[in-house]
Amino acid sequence: VFYKENYKLDTIGLQELWKLWKRKVSLVKQIMSVKERFYKPTVKIKTIFLVKIIIFYLLFTNIAYADLKKNLINKLILTETLTFDFKKKIDEKEEIGNCFIKYPLLIKCNYQNNKQKTLISNGKTVAIIKKKYKKIYYYPLKSTPLFIILDKEKVLNLITNNEPSEIDLNVIEFEFIDKKTNKLKIFFDKNTLELKGWQTKDAYSNNVSFIIN
């Protein structure tokens, strides 16, 4: 009899333990269900918020670029003359001097070197004068990058019909490629919108940069 009573008690104990275990499992499931219901909306909200930020950034960037181009175009339209100091670099060789530009197609640059060099464009021809050697070299303006740089209408068309090839904190860069695949990069100061210089290659494929100070 004692054995049967003990067996009954053990059976009842196991049943109670099983019920307790089921309640714990049920509670864990409820907790997990609550977490899942909370987690899914949170992820969805975060995703929507991130998408909104990206869209806003893209819209703001496009508006900023459009304003920048508009201001640059207006600045160039109002510019009739430019006076500046420059540094010209052909590969490792450097020259310095000062220039005066009058749109369209006119320029005069005096180089500060012992050759007493001067560059002049009359709108059709570029003349390089070396007073020390009493020599003058003539080139058709159309065969030089100055034919684009000194033609305000060409530069305006380039800016109007193209996006900047590069923009950093200080410089806006536009790239022009002609029919012969010659590449010309024109730089503008991002803050003042003034012409900052240009970069190309000469007839001997040397890198030529003309930087305005």
Side-chain angles (χ1 to χ4, degrees):
V1 175
F2 178 74
Y3 173 78
K4 286 183 179 179
E5 287 178 355
N6 282 342
Y7 178 77
K8 256 177 164 184
L9 289 171
D10 289 343
T11 302
I12 293 169
L14 287 171
Q15 288 175 348
E16 292 297 323
L17 285 172
W18 176 248
K19 287 179 182 178
L20 181 61
W21 170 255
K22 286 176 73 175
R23 284 199 296 270
K24 287 184 176 180
V25 170
S26 177
L27 181 62
V28 169
K29 285 182 177 180
Q30 289 176 12
I31 293 170
M32 292 300 292
S33 176
V34 170
K35 282 186 176 180
E36 188 176 355
R37 286 198 301 271
F38 175 76
Y39 178 74
K40 282 184 178 179
T42 303
V43 172
K44 187 176 180 181
I45 290 168
K46 286 182 177 179
T47 303
I48 292 170
F49 180 70
L50 182 60
V51 169
K52 285 182 178 180
I53 288 176
I54 292 170
I55 291 172
F56 176 78
Y57 173 77
L58 292 174
L59 287 173
F60 178 79
T61 303
N62 288 336
I63 292 170
Y65 281 175
D67 288 343
L68 188 62
K69 281 182 66 172
K70 182 181 177 181
N71 292 336
L72 181 56
I73 289 168
N74 290 337
K75 176 78 172 180
L76 189 55
I77 288 171
L78 295 174
T79 302
E80 297 296 333
T81 61
L82 289 173
T83 303
F84 53 83
D85 295 327
F86 71 86
K87 178 172 73 175
K88 182 179 179 181
K89 187 174 181 181
I90 304 177
D91 282 343
E92 299 304 317
K93 182 183 176 182
E94 288 189 1
E95 295 178 297
I96 60 172
N98 55 76
C99 285
F100 173 77
I101 289 176
K102 183 177 181 180
Y103 293 110
L105 303 177
L106 302 179
I107 188 171
K108 181 178 180 181
C109 297
N110 294 312
Y111 289 74
Q112 296 175 12
N113 56 30
N114 57 7
K115 296 177 183 178
Q116 298 176 305
K117 180 178 171 181
T118 301
L119 180 148
I120 299 174
S121 166
N122 64 0
K124 293 182 179 180
T125 303
V126 175
I128 297 177
I129 304 166
K130 296 181 179 179
K131 292 181 181 178
K132 182 177 180 179
Y133 305 114
K134 298 180 180 179
K135 290 184 177 181
I136 304 176
Y137 303 90
Y138 296 99
Y139 305 91
L141 179 60
K142 287 185 177 181
S143 67
T144 74
L146 291 175
F147 184 62
I148 296 171
I149 294 159
L150 298 177
D151 190 330
K152 189 162 61 172
E153 293 302 319
K154 283 186 171 63
V155 178
L156 284 170
N157 287 334
L158 172 65
I159 296 170
T160 302
N161 298 320
N162 296 277
E163 294 301 319
S165 53
E166 187 175 337
I167 298 179
D168 61 24
L169 293 175
N170 300 309
V171 176
I172 311 166
E173 174 190 304
F174 286 89
E175 189 172 275
F176 177 83
I177 301 175
D178 65 16
K179 294 178 181 179
K180 296 180 181 179
T181 68
N182 295 316
K183 188 182 293 184
L184 171 65
K185 294 181 179 180
I186 303 177
F187 309 108
F188 295 90
D189 188 292
K190 188 179 178 183
N191 299 310
T192 65
L193 305 178
E194 297 281 358
L195 181 65
K196 191 66 179 174
W198 54 88
Q199 186 180 67
T200 186
K201 288 183 181 292
D202 64 14
Y204 305 100
S205 296
N206 296 313
N207 291 317
V208 179
S209 62
F210 193 98
I211 305 302
I212 295 173
N213 298 326

